[in-house]
Amino acid sequence: MDELEEEAGFAPPREILASPAATPVMCPWTKAIERLSAWWAACQAWGIAGTGWLPLAIAIGWAPGLMAWPLLAADSTPLLENQLARSDRMNAILGVGSSLLVLGAFYLIVARRARGAWPDALRAWNERLLPILFLPLIPSLLVPGVESKRPWSVIAIAAAGAALVAVSVYRRPWRLPALPRWLPGAVAFALAAGWVLKMSLLAIAQHHGMETEVYDLGIYDSIFWNSIHGKPLATAFVRGGNHVSGHVDPILVLLSPLYLIYPRAELILVLQVVWVAAGAVPVWLLARRLLGSGYALALVVVYLLLPSLHGRTLYHFHSLTLAGPLLLWCLACLELKWLRAFWLPLALLLLTREDMALVACLIGAYAIVGKGNVRLGISTIAIAIAYLAFVKLAVMPDSKLLGDGSSESYGFAYYYKDMIPDAKEGTVGLLFSLLANPAFVLHHLITEAKLRSFALLFLPLLFLPFVAPRGKLLLSYGLVFMFLASREPVFSIAFQYPTVLDSLALGVAVIALAETGRLRLGVLGSLDPSRARAALAAAMVVATIVLSAKFGALLPSTSFRAGFHKLVREPTAAQQERYGWVRDVVERIGPTASVSASGRLGPHVSNRSKAYLWPNVRDADFLLLDRNRLKGKSVQKLRDLEKAGKYRTVDRHGSYQLLERSDRLGPKVLIPAAERRAILPGAESRLQPSTIGAENR
């Protein structure tokens, strides 16, 4: 049988079977695989592949060169389009090669000093130098207009920088030198003071650059003026002649005596800046108690750099903006168990705006669920509901939460017109959409603009409020209020509305940092709490700095808006000349004359008893108009008034025009230059009216 098999070729020759030294024949592929495996094992032993130190070291060595050459180039714009000239590419290669040589020399010195433990020493340095990987992304941040052209790229870069810093700090905690106990507090105060100065100058430059309007700076300036003259919340700029037609904000009456210091719009602009900056105080107190002074300083920096904070601070003046620091005070008092002091910020919060009663209800619910203080929580909810009912039923002309408005009141259902197809349904229509059409609600929520605002609000906080062990309930009103809206200003960080969300979100983020070990996320909950806390705090600072630099107001940015307005950092010569003419005209008009002004001129004459918004003329002695901004029927109305001889032009500057009433008997009220110098802007005057002199001809 064996012979037959051998002859047929199914069995090996007998001489091979009998040979004691016979070895199996290896396939060429098998030999190649074995050699590759041996080479890979050697690479891992030397740290060249796998989890070794060399690939990461090469990336770190590359990074400085990739950052340096674009900074030395005249124009970094081609980076975004990959339109680099040959010389730029050669410079990049030279830069990368140089930085690799420098890092290689440094690692060689480290290896020689570490001797036998050199692989561990080099891995440790990789972890320390990990943030260097962020350097190549910096030149793209410096490309002019990148925040407007590619906002998501900037957001991704901020997230990448935060992640690199977080990993580095966690793996190799930074050991800071011992500092005097007073130093973090002094630095925080200095930063807040510098922030107040910078933002005040920007707010005033915005106003003097003619980038403010009757809606809303003129309205609030008029409210302050009328409040100190015995007419609380009165203003002729709104329906019904009183602000209660839209909002009830008696806190303005409490603050109005400050207006006597300097009765012009600049005063309330600076007041708003100081008030917002004061929100750093509850942030500091809460973070210092829960985390320590170093963390408190970091969180004050985060607060002052939030892009959403800059938007509302520089967008005119709004009572809702005043709610932010009060919300932080309420949360701080609950967390620090300052229960008697809690009632003061709560009372001021309710006086800030009628809808803050809804937020107060959430604060009361948090006191019950998050702090276990049932008595205080129920009392807070009861007071908030009673106040809201009183304001809606006894003070405001419209009792609906989201009415459609009338001749005597303003409705805000149109803010949510996609969610409320029939404005008459108001809040009920909103609830119907939420319950009956969730698919539409999802499409309504997931839009590019809303996702971008969401990222800019919560990336500086690393989204920690959503995984915090407690406090998430406080975010519910702000999330619904902002992101169910149809009007972009409501969910944009350029306006005042994020006040109801980002202030409480920052407070909840402080709680999340303090209780890092209890975060509702498995990977974070399993980390070492103290090291994770330091890593997250450092990452928050880095993310906030990047986003603030590109979307905030402190540095030049093409994307930043103060509401609807582009920021005026420093008025140009033409703007200064226009403002000088406006101030001169306002002083000549005098403080007792009635004036109808167009939108951007209104805030400069709103500090008087009778100030109207054109085309509402009423009994106006003067019209102060910007003819370039008049449209439609407004243009025709002015022509008809001039044609009928009711008003005549007495001065003009470019498109700005001052018209005086001419169909009345008696002397005119334009004050000569010699007399107007003695009059304080906005103060009442007993000067006798004078006729127009030669200076006006």
Side-chain angles (χ1 to χ4, degrees):
M1 188 68 177
D2 292 340
E3 293 177 358
L4 293 174
E5 290 178 349
E6 183 177 341
E7 290 176 0
F10 291 106
R14 292 184 179 182
E15 60 270 18
I16 294 179
L17 293 174
S19 174
T23 57
V25 178
M26 297 184 64
C27 172
W29 291 107
T30 304
K31 291 182 180 180
I33 291 173
E34 285 192 354
R35 288 177 180 175
L36 285 173
S37 298
W39 176 80
W40 185 257
C43 287
Q44 288 183 320
W46 281 86
I48 299 176
T51 58
W53 57 270
L54 188 56
L56 183 56
I58 292 174
I60 293 172
W62 241 322
L66 289 175
M67 179 195 72
W69 78 264
L71 297 181
L72 298 176
D75 183 14
S76 57
T77 303
L79 281 174
L80 292 183
E81 306 298 335
N82 196 27
Q83 300 295 323
L84 301 178
R86 185 177 183 86
S87 59
D88 289 335
R89 296 179 183 181
M90 293 303 298
N91 290 336
I93 294 173
L94 291 174
V96 167
S98 301
S99 63
L100 278 172
L101 288 175
V102 172
L103 186 78
F106 174 73
Y107 270 35
L108 182 61
I109 296 172
V110 172
R112 293 191 64 180
R113 290 185 175 181
R115 297 183 181 179
W118 62 268
D120 293 335
L122 297 183
R123 290 190 186 95
W125 272 104
N126 276 349
E127 294 171 353
R128 292 189 183 98
L129 300 178
L130 194 62
I132 289 180
L133 291 177
F134 181 69
L135 296 181
L137 302 177
I138 292 178
S140 61
L141 291 176
L142 301 179
V143 174
V146 64
E147 62 273 15
S148 299
K149 300 173 185 175
R150 300 188 179 180
W152 285 106
S153 297
V154 177
I155 292 171
I157 290 172
L164 290 170
V165 169
V167 173
S168 177
V169 173
Y170 183 82
R171 297 296 297 272
R172 294 286 168 179
W174 297 346
R175 291 179 174 83
L176 300 176
L179 300 174
R181 295 183 61 183
W182 56 267
L183 186 58
V187 173
F189 178 82
L191 291 175
W195 189 90
V196 167
L197 178 60
K198 176 68 174 180
M199 298 297 278
S200 296
L201 292 175
L202 289 175
I204 294 173
Q206 189 81 342
H207 183 51
H208 291 181
M210 309 305 294
E211 287 292 336
T212 54
E213 300 199 33
V214 166
Y215 291 99
D216 291 316
L217 181 59
I219 290 175
Y220 283 101
D221 186 53
S222 177
I223 289 172
F224 271 85
W225 190 94
N226 281 285
S227 294
I228 62 171
H229 287 83
K231 295 180 285 185
L233 302 181
T235 171
F237 287 130
V238 300
R239 297 173 188 173
N242 196 287
H243 203 226
V244 298
S245 59
H247 294 297
V248 177
D249 34 22
I251 192 172
L252 303 179
V253 180
L254 298 179
L255 295 174
S256 62
L258 296 174
Y259 194 71
L260 294 169
I261 298 173
Y262 189 71
R264 275 170 47 180
E266 288 87 343
L267 183 280
I268 65 173
L269 290 173
V270 175
L271 170 63
Q272 180 170 258
V273 171
V274 174
W275 186 281
V276 172
V281 177
V283 172
W284 167 268
L285 294 174
L286 179 61
R288 186 184 64 175
R289 175 71 66 87
L290 299 182
L291 297 164
S293 297
Y295 286 98
L297 175 58
L299 288 161
V300 166
V301 170
V302 170
Y303 174 76
L304 295 175
L305 293 182
L306 288 175
S308 56
L309 193 77
H310 299 177
R312 63 175 174 267
T313 303
L314 295 177
Y315 177 43
H316 298 181
F317 180 98
H318 295 90
S319 56
L320 183 59
T321 300
L322 305 179
L326 297 174
L327 290 169
L328 286 166
W329 271 113
C330 288
L331 183 58
C333 288
L334 285 177
E335 289 295 320
L336 303 178
K337 298 181 179 180
W338 297 345
L339 302 185
R340 292 184 178 179
F342 167 78
W343 298 108
L344 178 59
L346 179 68
L348 292 175
L349 178 66
L350 294 175
L351 298 178
T352 299
R353 226 172 73 161
E354 73 286 349
D355 56 336
M356 290 300 98
L358 300 175
V359 184
C361 289
L362 291 178
I363 294 174
Y366 173 72
I368 297 172
V369 177
K371 303 301 295 180
N373 196 326
V374 178
R375 181 178 179 181
L376 183 139
I378 292 177
S379 300
T380 300
I381 295 172
I383 292 172
I385 293 175
Y387 177 76
L388 181 61
F390 169 75
V391 166
K392 281 292 182 181
L393 298 176
V395 179
M396 301 185 72
D398 187 354
S399 60
K400 296 179 182 178
L401 289 176
L402 288 173
D404 57 348
S406 67
S407 60
E408 295 296 319
S409 66
Y410 293 89
F412 301 98
Y414 74 100
Y415 280 19
Y416 303 87
K417 63 179 181 179
D418 293 331
M419 295 292 296
I420 310 175
D422 185 357
K424 295 180 180 179
E425 293 181 348
T427 309
V428 175
L430 180 65
L431 294 176
F432 279 161
S433 296
L434 284 172
L435 298 175
N437 197 355
F440 170 78
V441 174
L442 183 62
H443 290 299
H444 181 64
L445 288 173
I446 303 177
T447 65
E448 193 277 335
K450 288 183 179 179
L451 291 175
R452 186 174 67 248
S453 292
F454 186 83
L456 292 174
L457 283 169
F458 286 101
L459 181 55
L461 308 179
L462 305 183
F463 303 96
L464 288 178
F466 296 104
V467 297
R470 52 194 171 86
K472 295 185 288 294
L473 174 68
L474 296 170
L475 309 180
S476 55
Y477 177 80
L479 291 170
V480 170
F481 177 82
M482 287 183 60
F483 293 104
L484 287 183
S486 303
R487 292 187 73 233
E488 185 169 353
V490 181
F491 55 81
S492 169
I493 65 169
F495 293 79
Q496 70 273 23
Y497 302 106
T499 303
V500 298
L501 182 57
D502 62 358
S503 300
L504 289 172
L506 178 59
V508 176
V510 175
I511 296 172
L513 281 178
E515 303 182 11
T516 306
R518 297 176 55 207
L519 294 180
R520 308 281 182 165
L521 196 61
V523 64
L524 291 179
S526 62
L527 299 176
D528 177 77
S530 61
R531 294 168 64 183
R533 188 177 301 120
L536 291 171
M540 286 174 65
V541 173
V542 170
T544 307
I545 288 175
V546 174
L547 293 177
S548 184
K550 304 311 293 182
F551 298 102
L554 297 180
L555 296 177
S557 167
T558 59
S559 69
F560 180 80
R561 292 291 184 276
F564 296 104
H565 304 271
K566 190 174 181 179
L567 185 62
V568 176
R569 297 192 165 273
E570 186 174 348
T572 63
Q575 289 172 327
Q576 291 175 355
E577 187 177 350
R578 279 204 309 267
Y579 175 72
W581 180 86
V582 170
R583 286 311 314 159
D584 180 70
V585 160
V586 170
E587 291 178 1
R588 290 164 60 194
I589 288 174
T592 59
S594 55
V595 184
S596 176
S598 54
R600 298 201 176 190
L601 292 165
H604 300 273
V605 294
S606 50
N607 53 347
R608 64 190 60 243
S609 177
K610 296 179 179 180
Y612 314 123
L613 177 60
W614 172 264
N616 183 6
V617 176
R618 298 191 188 181
D619 61 344
D621 298 313
F622 292 93
L623 306 180
L624 184 59
L625 307 176
D626 181 357
R627 298 199 71 135
N628 284 348
R629 292 184 174 272
L630 303 185
K631 298 179 181 179
K633 295 181 180 180
S634 179
V635 176
Q636 187 59 46
K637 182 171 184 176
L638 178 59
R639 289 174 180 170
D640 292 342
L641 290 173
E642 290 180 304
K643 187 176 181 180
K646 291 185 178 181
Y647 288 90
R648 62 181 181 125
T649 300
V650 292
D651 204 348
R652 66 169 61 236
H653 178 84
S655 63
Y656 290 176
Q657 184 175 3
L658 175 66
L659 299 96
E660 185 182 37
R661 188 144 194 168
S662 57
D663 64 343
R664 289 176 177 169
L665 297 176
K668 303 297 184 293
V669 294
L670 200 63
I671 300 172
E675 297 178 1
R676 70 174 183 266
R677 295 190 183 96
I679 304 174
L680 290 174
E684 294 290 350
S685 171
R686 297 184 178 276
L687 289 174
Q688 294 297 321
S690 304
T691 58
I692 301 173
E695 60 175 322
N696 298 317
R697 294 192 178 95

